[in-house]
Amino acid sequence: MDFLKAELARKKALLEEREKKLAGGKTYVKRSDIEDYERERYLERCSKRKKVSSEEGEMEAAPTSTTKEVVPLLSEVEVKKRLRDRGQPIKLFGETPSETYTRLRHLEMQEPTGSKSQTDFKSAMEKIDQEYLNEMLTELHGDTVKKRELKQLPTFEEMKEQCKGIAAPRIPMDPLYELVHKFYRWLFDTWDQDGERLKSIRTGGDLSWKLERAKIKQAEDYLKPLFKSLKRKTLEEALLRSFGTIAGAILDRDYIAANDQYLKTAIGNAAWPIGVTMVGIHARTGREKLFAHNVAHVLNDEVQRKYLQAVKRLMTFAQRFYTTDPSKCVEYNA
């Protein structure tokens, strides 16, 4: 009852106050005066509400301003490179380096693998389709299609003679760079010319050559970093000697040995340090071999993964083009 009495008293006081403000000694009140009074009361209540909400917002924003920024674990160049690979803008307006790194981390968590490899093959197929369409339009207009001039390449036996000793374990680094670059460039050019030959002898609606040409185009893009590092002699020794061993096995037409070396290079066969590797005060015998040798290079970098994949495609082509005994082939007639 006390609460009800207090509420009635409050309402009565409000009505008396309104009558004093509106009447001002008059015997009557205009409706427009009542509306103006209600409007003022409404604006006054809104201004008070805005003031309270702004004070609360300032109190909430105060602790966030003192939070520590995320320290980027990657260099700014690497962050930009990864954002470009994902087709994302490298910098948004007013964005700090730590915010850019945080945005990259969110993208990598949402899509860990990305869709770049699939778009690489798709773009290669689109290039081949565009070239094929241009040739068809040229033939429809009655013009002669310009055929690509193929350069004369060394034969398999000539290349074997030129790359003699490529798989030798003690061959110096400088000549090994040149031999590895020469061999893989020759093998890729041979594959490229074979793709052109398949294109020239196509019959009817057979479009299998388009898939082969797309693989060649994709492998060409993937091999560019490898050829660049071989020319500049910056490829690490472990990878270089592995590529030399693979090349030597291909020249001997022993594709099983080449595949074994490729698996060692790509995946590695080192003992994985699961469990305790250091017991007592003395180091375990050969403990350094757990980490120093036979590293899984395919896991190191996206660029390495791509040119290792291209090297595997070159090995598959070599087995198909330069045939040998079934006992030396991988998945013969598969």
Side-chain angles (χ1 to χ4, degrees):
M1 289 296 292
D2 294 338
F3 171 75
L4 186 58
K5 288 180 180 179
E7 186 66 19
L8 288 172
R10 189 180 69 82
K11 291 282 187 184
K12 190 175 181 180
L14 285 174
L15 286 173
E16 290 175 356
E17 183 185 354
R18 188 176 77 166
E19 287 175 359
K20 284 180 183 179
K21 283 188 177 180
L22 290 174
K26 297 178 183 178
T27 57
Y28 63 91
V29 179
K30 291 183 180 179
R31 185 173 182 83
S32 59
D33 294 339
I34 297 174
E35 290 176 353
D36 291 340
Y37 176 75
E38 294 295 337
R39 190 181 298 112
E40 288 177 6
R41 289 290 308 274
Y42 173 75
L43 293 174
E44 186 180 351
R45 286 198 305 272
C46 289
S47 62
K48 285 182 180 179
R49 203 172 293 168
K50 284 182 181 178
K51 187 176 181 181
V52 171
S53 62
S54 63
E55 288 176 357
E56 289 177 354
E58 288 175 2
M59 289 175 66
E60 289 178 358
T64 57
S65 61
T66 59
T67 55
K68 294 173 69 177
E69 288 190 349
V70 179
V71 179
L73 300 178
L74 299 172
S75 64
E76 191 172 355
V77 176
E78 181 65 20
V79 170
K80 289 180 179 179
K81 178 180 175 297
R82 293 192 182 187
L83 286 170
R84 281 196 187 99
D85 290 343
R86 291 176 173 269
Q88 297 291 330
I90 61 172
K91 182 74 73 175
L92 298 178
F93 181 76
E95 193 175 46
T96 62
S98 63
E99 291 172 346
T100 308
Y101 174 74
T102 305
R103 180 161 59 91
L104 173 65
R105 294 297 301 155
H106 285 314
L107 289 170
E108 289 179 342
M109 284 188 288
Q110 291 171 3
E111 194 178 358
T113 57
S115 57
K116 184 68 176 173
S117 60
Q118 192 170 1
T119 55
D120 286 343
F121 188 75
K122 187 178 178 182
S123 61
M125 281 293 290
E126 288 175 356
K127 287 179 184 177
I128 300 301
D129 288 337
Q130 188 62 41
E131 290 175 4
Y132 184 49
L133 182 62
N134 292 339
E135 289 183 6
M136 289 180 65
L137 291 173
T138 306
E139 289 176 356
L140 284 174
H141 289 304
D143 300 332
T144 56
V145 179
K146 291 183 180 179
K147 291 188 177 181
R148 178 180 156 194
E149 295 182 1
L150 303 178
K151 60 183 179 180
Q152 186 69 28
L153 295 175
T155 63
F156 187 85
E157 298 302 328
E158 289 174 350
M159 182 53 60
K160 187 175 182 178
E161 186 64 30
Q162 292 177 17
C163 294
K164 187 180 252 185
I166 192 172
R170 297 185 180 277
I171 183 172
M173 293 288 289
D174 287 342
L176 185 58
Y177 277 114
E178 296 174 4
L179 291 176
V180 170
H181 181 267
K182 181 191 290 185
F183 172 78
Y184 286 102
R185 171 56 70 182
W186 165 80
L187 189 56
F188 175 78
D189 290 341
T190 307
W191 185 24
D192 189 21
Q193 291 190 8
D194 184 63
E196 286 291 326
R197 182 184 60 81
L198 289 174
K199 181 181 174 182
S200 62
I201 63 173
R202 65 183 184 271
T203 55
D206 182 21
L207 298 178
S208 59
W209 63 272
K210 285 175 63 177
L211 185 61
E212 190 72 12
R213 289 297 305 164
K215 288 179 181 177
I216 293 170
K217 184 69 71 176
Q218 187 184 21
E220 183 181 12
D221 294 337
Y222 284 3
L223 285 169
K224 281 179 182 176
L226 176 62
F227 290 150
K228 189 181 293 185
S229 58
L230 287 171
K231 275 186 179 180
R232 296 177 178 175
K233 299 183 179 181
T234 56
L235 189 68
E236 55 186 278
E237 184 178 356
L239 271 176
L240 181 66
R241 296 201 178 276
S242 296
F243 286 144
T245 306
I246 293 171
I250 293 173
L251 290 171
D252 292 337
R253 303 199 185 196
D254 189 354
Y255 300 111
I256 289 181
N259 188 66
D260 289 343
Q261 182 59 42
Y262 171 79
L263 290 176
K264 289 179 184 177
T265 305
I267 302 172
N269 63 349
W272 286 46
I274 299 172
V276 180
T277 60
M278 190 85 172
V279 181
I281 59 172
H282 299 293
R284 174 180 162 186
T285 307
R287 183 175 179 271
E288 67 278 359
K289 293 181 182 178
L290 293 174
F291 308 100
H293 303 291
N294 302 319
V295 180
H297 294 284
V298 76
L299 305 176
N300 284 358
D301 188 11
E302 185 69 9
V303 177
Q304 285 186 0
R305 182 194 67 78
K306 287 182 176 180
Y307 63 63
L308 279 167
Q309 179 185 349
V311 167
K312 184 66 175 76
R313 287 185 173 173
L314 290 177
M315 291 166 55
T316 306
F317 163 74
Q319 178 177 306
R320 177 171 55 83
F321 199 72
Y322 300 109
T323 57
T324 185
D325 297 335
S327 60
K328 294 183 179 180
C329 292
V330 179
E331 296 181 1
Y332 187 72
N333 278 342

